[in-house]
Amino acid sequence: MKKIFSVIALVAFSTTMTFAQSADEIITKFITAVGGKDAIAKLNDYTMVMTGELQGNSLEMTQIRKGADKMSMSVSFGAMGEVAKTLCDGKNVRIESQMTGTQNLEGKFLKATIAQAGTFPELLYSSNGIKMTVVGSEKINGVDSHKIEMAVEDFKWFEFYEKESGLKIRQVIESPQGTA
C-alpha cells in the first residue's frame, strides 16, 4: 500500500511540474498574445483613458506612454479638475498633487516606476531588474489566471495573466496609502 501511494504521489508531482510555467514563460506568452516583439517594436506610444465615478463625482485617469521608459499620468476628479499628475522622463519621476505638493521619487519607488513606464514595460522586466516569481493561480472574474509577484528591492506588486490567452487581466499595487 505504501508503494502504491508513493507511485501516485510521484506521478502527481511530476505532472504538476510538467505544466508549471516560469514567470518568464508567462510574460513571453503575453508578448505573443498582444502581437509579438516585432509588432510591439512598431508602436511609438499609446494613450489610455479610464473613467469612472467615485462618491457621485466623475473620475478620469489619462495615461500616456512613450518609448521604453517615458510616461505621464493625470487624475481628474469632478469639478476639482486635475488633482494629481505623475511624470517620468526615464531618469526622474515627479509627482504633483493638490494634496501633497510636488515630490521627486527616489530609491526603490523610482526604480519600480521607471521599470513600469514605457509602451510595453513587460519587454524589459528582466533587464530592468524586476524579480518575477509565480506565486500561484487565482480566478479573476471566473477566469483562471497566473499570479506573478513583481519586486524591485522590497517594493512589490502583483500581475495576473489569463492562463488560456496569456493576456494581462489585472495589476495590484499595494502601498501604505492602500491598494490600487
Side-chain angles (χ1 to χ4, degrees):
M1 184 68 170
K2 191 175 184 180
K3 286 183 182 181
I4 293 173
F5 178 73
S6 296
V7 170
I8 292 170
L10 180 61
V11 170
F13 178 73
S14 65
T15 302
T16 302
M17 294 306 291
T18 302
F19 294 109
Q21 287 185 292
S22 71
D24 285 328
E25 290 169 331
I26 293 167
I27 298 298
T28 298
K29 185 174 180 179
F30 165 73
I31 291 167
T32 301
V34 296
K37 286 183 181 181
D38 292 340
I40 291 170
K42 295 176 186 175
L43 298 174
N44 295 319
D45 56 47
Y46 77 82
T47 301
M48 179 172 32
V49 178
M50 300 164 274
T51 60
E53 192 172 292
L54 180 66
Q55 299 174 344
N57 292 298
S58 64
L59 176 69
E60 181 175 290
M61 290 178 59
T62 303
Q63 193 175 80
I64 302 169
R65 294 175 178 256
K66 189 170 183 84
D69 58 4
K70 293 175 180 53
M71 183 263 306
S72 155
M73 182 174 66
S74 65
V75 179
S76 298
F77 186 64
M80 295 172 66
E82 186 177 83
V83 294
K85 187 170 199 163
T86 302
L87 301 166
C88 174
D89 67 6
K91 294 181 182 171
N92 302 293
V93 177
R94 185 176 74 236
I95 299 174
E96 302 169 358
S97 167
Q98 288 182 8
M99 307 247 328
T100 59
T102 300
Q103 71 180 83
N104 293 312
L105 294 185
E106 297 176 351
K108 61 188 172 190
F109 300 110
L110 174 65
K111 289 179 191 176
T113 303
I114 291 172
Q116 293 178 74
T119 311
F120 271 90
E122 296 83 4
L123 286 172
L124 302 172
Y125 276 175
S126 293
S127 62
N128 278 337
I130 294 177
K131 183 179 178 214
M132 303 181 294
T133 307
V134 179
V135 294
S137 299
E138 284 188 25
K139 281 200 181 280
I140 306 290
N141 297 324
V143 176
D144 290 327
S145 68
H146 297 285
K147 180 179 182 180
I148 304 176
E149 178 185 86
M150 308 296 198
V152 172
E153 298 176 25
D154 66 346
F155 177 74
K156 297 177 182 176
W157 69 97
F158 298 94
E159 294 186 357
F160 298 83
Y161 293 83
E162 189 176 294
K163 286 185 177 182
E164 189 174 322
S165 70
L167 294 173
K168 185 191 298 187
I169 56 175
R170 181 172 288 173
Q171 182 180 53
V172 177
I173 301 171
E174 297 175 354
S175 74
Q177 291 79 27
T179 301

